Short mmCIF file of all heavy atoms in Angstrom, two decimals:
data_model
loop_
_atom_site.label_atom_id
_atom_site.label_comp_id
_atom_site.label_asym_id
_atom_site.label_seq_id
_atom_site.Cartn_x
_atom_site.Cartn_y
_atom_site.Cartn_z
N ARG A 19 -5.19 5.37 5.04
CA ARG A 19 -4.73 6.59 5.70
C ARG A 19 -3.48 7.05 4.96
O ARG A 19 -2.51 6.31 4.87
CB ARG A 19 -4.35 6.32 7.15
CG ARG A 19 -5.48 5.79 7.98
CD ARG A 19 -6.12 6.87 8.82
NE ARG A 19 -7.18 6.32 9.63
CZ ARG A 19 -8.48 6.53 9.40
NH1 ARG A 19 -8.86 7.26 8.39
NH2 ARG A 19 -9.38 6.01 10.18
N PHE A 20 -3.54 8.26 4.44
CA PHE A 20 -2.36 8.81 3.78
C PHE A 20 -2.12 10.18 4.38
O PHE A 20 -2.94 11.07 4.27
CB PHE A 20 -2.58 8.92 2.27
CG PHE A 20 -1.30 8.90 1.49
CD1 PHE A 20 -1.25 8.32 0.24
CD2 PHE A 20 -0.14 9.47 1.97
CE1 PHE A 20 -0.08 8.29 -0.50
CE2 PHE A 20 1.05 9.45 1.25
CZ PHE A 20 1.06 8.85 -0.01
N ASP A 21 -1.00 10.30 5.06
CA ASP A 21 -0.66 11.55 5.74
C ASP A 21 0.52 12.18 5.01
O ASP A 21 1.65 11.76 5.17
CB ASP A 21 -0.30 11.22 7.20
CG ASP A 21 0.09 12.46 7.98
OD1 ASP A 21 0.26 13.54 7.37
OD2 ASP A 21 0.22 12.35 9.21
N PRO A 22 0.25 13.20 4.16
CA PRO A 22 1.34 13.79 3.39
C PRO A 22 2.37 14.50 4.27
O PRO A 22 3.55 14.54 3.92
CB PRO A 22 0.64 14.77 2.45
CG PRO A 22 -0.71 14.99 3.01
CD PRO A 22 -1.04 13.82 3.88
N ALA A 23 1.96 15.00 5.42
CA ALA A 23 2.90 15.69 6.30
C ALA A 23 3.91 14.70 6.88
O ALA A 23 5.09 15.01 7.01
CB ALA A 23 2.14 16.40 7.42
N ALA A 24 3.44 13.48 7.20
CA ALA A 24 4.33 12.46 7.76
C ALA A 24 4.90 11.55 6.67
O ALA A 24 5.70 10.67 6.97
CB ALA A 24 3.56 11.63 8.78
N ASN A 25 4.46 11.74 5.43
CA ASN A 25 4.90 10.90 4.30
C ASN A 25 4.66 9.43 4.59
O ASN A 25 5.53 8.59 4.45
CB ASN A 25 6.38 11.17 3.98
CG ASN A 25 6.56 12.62 3.60
OD1 ASN A 25 6.02 13.09 2.62
ND2 ASN A 25 7.30 13.35 4.42
N ARG A 26 3.42 9.15 4.99
CA ARG A 26 3.09 7.79 5.42
C ARG A 26 1.74 7.36 4.83
O ARG A 26 0.76 8.07 4.95
CB ARG A 26 3.01 7.77 6.94
CG ARG A 26 2.85 6.40 7.49
CD ARG A 26 3.18 6.37 8.99
NE ARG A 26 3.09 5.01 9.44
CZ ARG A 26 1.95 4.41 9.74
NH1 ARG A 26 0.80 5.05 9.65
NH2 ARG A 26 1.95 3.15 10.13
N LEU A 27 1.73 6.19 4.22
CA LEU A 27 0.50 5.59 3.69
C LEU A 27 0.28 4.27 4.40
O LEU A 27 1.20 3.47 4.53
CB LEU A 27 0.65 5.33 2.18
CG LEU A 27 -0.39 4.40 1.53
CD1 LEU A 27 -1.78 5.01 1.57
CD2 LEU A 27 0.00 4.08 0.09
N SER A 28 -0.94 4.05 4.87
CA SER A 28 -1.26 2.71 5.38
C SER A 28 -2.58 2.24 4.78
O SER A 28 -3.52 3.02 4.63
CB SER A 28 -1.30 2.68 6.91
OG SER A 28 -2.47 3.26 7.39
N ILE A 29 -2.58 0.97 4.40
CA ILE A 29 -3.77 0.32 3.87
C ILE A 29 -3.97 -0.92 4.73
O ILE A 29 -3.08 -1.77 4.82
CB ILE A 29 -3.59 -0.07 2.38
CG1 ILE A 29 -3.27 1.18 1.54
CG2 ILE A 29 -4.85 -0.76 1.86
CD1 ILE A 29 -2.97 0.88 0.08
N ASP A 30 -5.12 -1.00 5.39
CA ASP A 30 -5.32 -2.01 6.41
C ASP A 30 -6.73 -2.58 6.33
O ASP A 30 -7.70 -1.86 6.56
CB ASP A 30 -5.09 -1.35 7.78
CG ASP A 30 -5.21 -2.34 8.93
OD1 ASP A 30 -5.50 -3.52 8.69
OD2 ASP A 30 -5.01 -1.91 10.08
N GLY A 31 -6.83 -3.86 5.99
CA GLY A 31 -8.14 -4.52 6.01
C GLY A 31 -8.40 -5.38 4.79
O GLY A 31 -7.56 -5.52 3.91
N GLN A 32 -9.57 -5.98 4.76
CA GLN A 32 -10.00 -6.81 3.64
C GLN A 32 -10.16 -5.94 2.40
O GLN A 32 -10.59 -4.79 2.51
CB GLN A 32 -11.37 -7.44 3.93
CG GLN A 32 -11.50 -8.06 5.29
CD GLN A 32 -11.00 -9.50 5.33
OE1 GLN A 32 -10.49 -10.02 4.35
NE2 GLN A 32 -11.14 -10.12 6.47
N SER A 33 -9.88 -6.48 1.23
CA SER A 33 -10.09 -5.70 0.01
C SER A 33 -10.75 -6.56 -1.06
O SER A 33 -10.11 -7.33 -1.75
CB SER A 33 -8.76 -5.14 -0.51
OG SER A 33 -9.01 -4.29 -1.61
N TYR A 34 -12.08 -6.43 -1.12
CA TYR A 34 -12.81 -7.08 -2.21
C TYR A 34 -14.00 -6.22 -2.63
O TYR A 34 -15.14 -6.66 -2.65
CB TYR A 34 -13.23 -8.51 -1.83
CG TYR A 34 -14.03 -8.65 -0.56
CD1 TYR A 34 -15.42 -8.74 -0.59
CD2 TYR A 34 -13.40 -8.71 0.68
CE1 TYR A 34 -16.16 -8.88 0.58
CE2 TYR A 34 -14.13 -8.85 1.85
CZ TYR A 34 -15.51 -8.94 1.79
OH TYR A 34 -16.25 -9.07 2.94
N PRO A 35 -13.73 -4.94 -2.97
CA PRO A 35 -14.84 -4.07 -3.36
C PRO A 35 -15.48 -4.53 -4.67
O PRO A 35 -14.83 -5.21 -5.47
CB PRO A 35 -14.19 -2.70 -3.54
CG PRO A 35 -12.75 -2.98 -3.77
CD PRO A 35 -12.44 -4.27 -3.06
N GLU A 36 -16.73 -4.13 -4.84
CA GLU A 36 -17.47 -4.42 -6.07
C GLU A 36 -16.66 -3.97 -7.29
O GLU A 36 -16.52 -4.68 -8.26
CB GLU A 36 -18.80 -3.64 -6.02
CG GLU A 36 -19.76 -3.99 -7.10
CD GLU A 36 -20.67 -5.14 -6.73
OE1 GLU A 36 -20.73 -5.54 -5.55
OE2 GLU A 36 -21.32 -5.65 -7.64
N ASN A 37 -16.13 -2.75 -7.21
CA ASN A 37 -15.33 -2.22 -8.31
C ASN A 37 -14.01 -1.69 -7.74
O ASN A 37 -13.91 -0.55 -7.33
CB ASN A 37 -16.10 -1.11 -9.04
CG ASN A 37 -15.34 -0.61 -10.25
OD1 ASN A 37 -14.12 -0.74 -10.36
ND2 ASN A 37 -16.07 -0.01 -11.17
#
Side-chain angles (χ1 to χ4, degrees):
R19 301 260 182 252
F20 205 146
D21 179 350
N25 300 297
R26 187 164 184 279
L27 165 66
S28 75
I29 302 175
D30 182 358
Q32 313 274 4
S33 186
Y34 55 98
E36 189 89 12
N37 184 338

